[in-house]
Amino acid sequence: MATTQHQTPDQLQYHPAAAQPQIFPSICTEGRSHVETACAAFWMNRKPQTLRAWASQENGPLRPIRVNGRLAWSVFEIRTIMSGGAV
């Protein structure tokens, strides 16, 4: 019979990737005009790093605004792109 090895609390390590996944609102019900990179990436089915590259290289289908050094993505532009329209 196999024995199970248990870890004591001081042996456990915190892994950010193992943390609870973020839950984003539906783009249909979003009331904000701009959202953070993680939310925009979720809606567009891209990784957040892809959106950061678009912002840095200024070559993506949409461009964010910068608020105190953080990127903010237009919900209107995301909806337009996701529906097949051009920004």
Side-chain angles (χ1 to χ4, degrees), residues 40 44 51 54-55 59-64 73-74 77-78 81 87:
M44 298 182 74
L51 275 67
W54 290 348
N59 66 350
L62 70 155
R63 299 222 170 96
W73 302 85
S74 168
E77 290 182 12
I78 294 169
I81 288 171
V87 177

Side-chain angles (χ1 to χ4, degrees), residues 15-35:
H15 296 285
Q20 292 284 335
Q22 282 187 291
I23 298 176
F24 301 104
S26 168
I27 194 168
C28 299
T29 61
E30 181 58 64
R32 297 175 289 178
S33 64
H34 289 75
V35 294

Side-chain angles (χ1 to χ4, degrees), residues 59-81:
N59 66 350
L62 70 155
R63 299 222 170 96
I65 60 170
R66 288 173 171 78
V67 180
N68 293 329
R70 294 182 177 257
L71 301 174
W73 302 85
S74 168
V75 174
F76 175 77
E77 290 182 12
I78 294 169
R79 284 183 181 139
T80 302
I81 288 171

